[in-house]
Amino acid sequence: MFTPSPMLLKLLYTRGSLHNTPTGVAFSLKNRLDTVRITRLDFVQIGEQRITPEHIGLDFGNGEVRPAPEVLGSAPDGLEFPVGHSIMFHLTTPALPEGIHAVQVQFAAEPFGELSVEVEDSIVNLPDDRPRIPRQDQDDYSEAAIQARQRFAEQFTGQEFKHLKQYSFDAHTLQGNCEHFTGVAQIPIGLAGPLRVNGEHAQGDFLIPLATTEGTLVASYNRGIQALNLCGGVKCTVIGDAMQRAPVFVFDDARGARDFAKWVEAEKAAIGAEAESTSRIAKLQYIDTYLANKFAYLRFNYSTGDAAGQNMVGRATFAACSWILENYKGAPVRHFYLESNFATDKKASQINVMRTRGKRVVAEAVIKRDVLQQRMRVTPEQLAYHGQVSNVGAFLSGANNNGAHSANGITAMFIATGQDVANVSESSAGVIYSEVTAERDLYLSMTIPSLIVATHGGGTGLATQNECLRMLGCVGRGTVNKFAEIVAGVVLAGELSLASAISSSDWVSSHEQYGRNR
């Protein structure tokens, strides 16, 4: 648990929620901090008018407005206000004119104590006759709610949807994964392998599910897997693990930012304790500090167990920054943003290539000369030279990957196993290296510096996705590194296959044979 600063308390208020009602005025607070128990409501003040609890009604999202004294009186130990939930305040007061109004809510909550939210919001009377997607506040994953959206989509577009509406799981399992659920996109899954992985966490033969609509992709990865298996498999090693959130603190000048950075370094133990108080899983490893102009960028680096952890580290960093804002007594912090774009979430970046985001994993193998010649129609010398030429092309283009197509295998596995597919933007970064050995075989290695994967949370528990993870034996505690090693091994197989196809001029003919759909 952490102490929220006044700057962060403002975030409880839902901007744009202030509006007139038939009986008065209403607005919303959303708990964006941590689960608490509200023990007392003192007053709400709008402008110069103070509204006491007997004139305030509370709606906890079920459409029922109950008097505040009645609600709080029925919970002698305090009313639970879970993180992520909202309360709509209904005030029995004259309607507000259009314009900007100061809003203050004063209350007490355990374990924080007395809190005051002070913001400005505006009343804007605009006509609202736009068509709206149907939803139900009570149960938006019920069959009635889903069918209402399906009918709306067909009426709005003038089209009939047959396949979109067919699915085989309880839609309630999607809560927290998909809003306005209407149907499913059926993506073909092909199997490649089994791939022999010689990892520290993944050991054995693994059947690889690949969800794709690209012809030749599964065949290409399967070809690379067969070649690796003939040479004993692929050796995979996780060499780094970190998930980031990167807040920024704004000062009046560079000196203020510099002094703040020194204070953060001195207080990193206390900051870490605050961050870790929000989670049993997240562990703060270190904080990188970067200074530019009058800005102090802090890059918090965590381990996050089997989860990818973006939300987890966001919450932990939010707690740490709240403590910082409350306890730093140096130059005033003029602005604070929880994310500065320096964690480069969902974006390729050089810092993640250098410093790791997610899992840093290496896949390597020695491919025998005769296997390359017989199965791939190339020699080790051809592939090694081709790699040198490709390095120049990657350098000239500014690409974050000097390999062939790691995003193909990663994306196909991500879709199949319920990963956040947008993380392919970071996860597709790769550093490939090849050399001809003294025995005239080919050593091939791929480093993936920012592979963001999970075997818990997100979409990994959904029906089809969980089945694919079970296919890989990657369900349960302590399986995320195993999954990372398997993904890296698949990537190396794809690099070997495509590089060989390009070097041997089989690339176009293979696509014409297996991938032509026109």
Side-chain angles (χ1 to χ4, degrees):
M1 193 58 64
F2 60 96
T3 303
S5 70
M7 186 179 294
L8 294 184
L9 281 174
K10 292 179 183 290
L11 300 178
L12 291 174
Y13 185 85
T14 303
R15 298 280 183 179
S17 66
L18 185 66
H19 64 282
N20 290 317
T21 69
T23 58
V25 175
F27 63 84
S28 173
L29 295 186
K30 182 176 182 179
N31 188 349
R32 297 175 173 89
L33 301 177
D34 211 331
T35 297
V36 298
R37 302 189 75 84
I38 300 174
T39 58
R40 190 181 74 245
L41 175 60
D42 296 326
F43 62 84
V44 172
Q45 185 156 330
I46 299 182
E48 300 298 323
Q49 183 178 11
R50 180 166 293 192
I51 302 98
T52 52
E54 59 268 22
H55 300 290
I56 300 173
L58 302 177
D59 175 5
F60 286 83
N62 57 6
E64 181 184 2
V65 181
R66 296 171 58 196
E70 175 187 317
V71 175
L72 293 173
S74 65
D77 296 327
L79 187 69
E80 187 176 58
F81 188 19
V83 65
H85 287 227
S86 296
I87 300 176
M88 183 67 74
F89 286 68
H90 290 264
L91 315 177
T92 304
T93 183
L96 295 173
E98 287 195 43
I100 297 175
H101 301 274
V103 180
Q104 180 184 2
V105 185
Q106 185 162 307
F107 62 102
E110 292 297 334
F112 294 143
E114 294 192 1
L115 301 174
S116 180
V117 178
E118 300 180 41
V119 297
E120 286 186 341
D121 203 357
S122 59
I123 292 283
V124 180
N125 296 319
L126 296 175
D128 190 6
D129 54 357
R130 296 167 299 167
R132 291 184 177 275
I133 297 171
R135 70 178 310 277
Q136 290 185 5
D137 290 335
Q138 297 279 354
D139 183 0
D140 204 38
Y141 296 89
S142 66
E143 280 301 309
I146 296 165
Q147 290 173 9
R149 281 190 288 273
Q150 292 170 347
R151 288 193 299 270
F152 171 81
E154 291 179 333
Q155 292 167 4
F156 186 83
T157 62
Q159 301 292 322
E160 182 180 354
F161 302 113
K162 176 182 177 182
H163 300 288
L164 176 74
K165 297 187 286 188
Q166 304 300 316
Y167 52 91
S168 58
F169 51 83
D170 181 359
H172 290 91
T173 62
L174 296 173
Q175 192 162 0
N177 291 102
C178 180
E179 300 77 38
H180 289 172
F181 174 67
T182 306
V184 295
Q186 299 182 72
I187 301 175
I189 292 180
L191 297 179
L195 169 66
R196 175 154 296 179
V197 180
N198 305 312
E200 294 177 309
H201 306 276
Q203 299 172 353
D205 297 334
F206 299 92
L207 200 58
I208 309 300
L210 297 170
T212 184
T213 58
E214 180 185 346
T216 75
L217 186 144
V218 177
S220 178
Y221 277 85
N222 198 57
R223 185 174 83 131
I225 287 171
Q226 290 176 347
L228 291 178
N229 288 345
L230 288 170
C231 301
V234 55
K235 183 177 182 179
C236 300
T237 310
V238 177
I239 60 173
D241 180 7
M243 179 50 65
Q244 294 77 28
R245 188 57 62 208
V248 59
F249 296 79
V250 181
F251 296 86
D252 288 328
D253 52 33
R255 193 170 300 168
R258 180 202 63 187
D259 294 345
F260 171 77
K262 292 179 179 179
W263 180 86
V264 168
E265 176 64 23
E267 297 291 335
K268 59 185 179 183
I271 294 170
E274 289 292 321
E276 293 176 6
S277 71
T278 65
S279 171
R280 294 181 296 104
I281 305 299
K283 301 298 178 185
L284 181 63
Q285 301 178 41
Y286 55 93
I287 303 173
D288 287 331
T289 302
Y290 300 85
L291 302 177
N293 306 102
K294 57 181 181 179
F295 311 131
Y297 296 88
L298 305 183
R299 201 165 190 261
F300 285 69
N301 295 265
Y302 299 85
S303 60
T304 58
D306 290 305
Q310 288 101 319
N311 293 334
M312 185 190 304
V313 304
R315 187 180 179 202
T317 306
F318 195 70
C321 291
S322 183
W323 185 89
I324 289 170
L325 290 167
E326 189 72 19
N327 288 274
Y328 182 60
K329 306 304 180 185
V333 178
R334 297 304 184 188
H335 298 283
F336 156 75
Y337 303 99
L338 181 60
E339 181 50 61
S340 62
N341 232 4
F342 202 55
T344 66
D345 201 0
K346 309 294 199 310
K347 293 174 285 292
S349 69
Q350 189 61 31
I351 192 169
N352 286 339
V353 172
M354 297 296 294
R355 298 290 287 159
T356 300
R357 181 168 170 83
K359 305 295 184 285
R360 193 178 194 92
V361 57
V362 177
E364 53 192 340
V366 174
I367 300 96
K368 298 296 184 181
R369 187 180 192 87
D370 59 343
V371 171
L372 272 180
Q373 290 181 319
Q374 294 169 11
R375 295 294 180 125
M376 312 303 253
R377 302 188 188 87
V378 292
T379 65
E381 290 82 6
Q382 277 180 281
L383 281 187
Y385 180 72
H386 181 191
Q388 293 180 19
V389 176
S390 296
N391 282 342
V392 176
F395 172 77
L396 289 175
S397 69
N400 70 337
N401 192 322
N402 68 331
H405 69 147
S406 64
N408 259 336
I410 292 172
T411 303
M413 291 196 73
F414 273 23
I415 295 172
T417 59
Q419 309 300 307
D420 186 339
V421 183
N423 286 330
V424 172
S425 57
E426 300 123 289
S427 300
S428 63
V431 182
I432 197 163
Y433 171 75
S434 62
E435 66 179 39
V436 178
T437 69
E439 293 77 21
R440 299 177 69 208
D441 298 322
L442 180 74
Y443 169 81
L444 188 65
S445 171
M446 168 63 90
T447 298
I448 307 176
S450 48
L451 181 63
I452 303 174
V453 290
T455 54
H456 178 77
T460 62
L462 299 182
T464 305
Q465 292 76 6
N466 192 255
E467 287 183 351
C468 288
L469 282 172
R470 285 195 280 121
M471 186 184 299
L472 295 165
C474 290
V475 172
R477 187 179 296 273
T479 55
V480 70
N481 286 335
K482 176 182 180 180
F483 183 58
E485 289 181 345
I486 295 171
V487 173
V490 171
V491 167
L492 191 72
E495 294 299 298
L496 172 62
S497 181
L498 182 54
S500 299
I502 297 172
S503 291
S504 65
S505 297
D506 283 338
W507 187 25
V508 173
S509 61
S510 295
H511 269 275
E512 286 295 304
Q513 181 177 355
Y514 297 108
R516 185 168 179 163
N517 183 19
R518 58 181 184 270

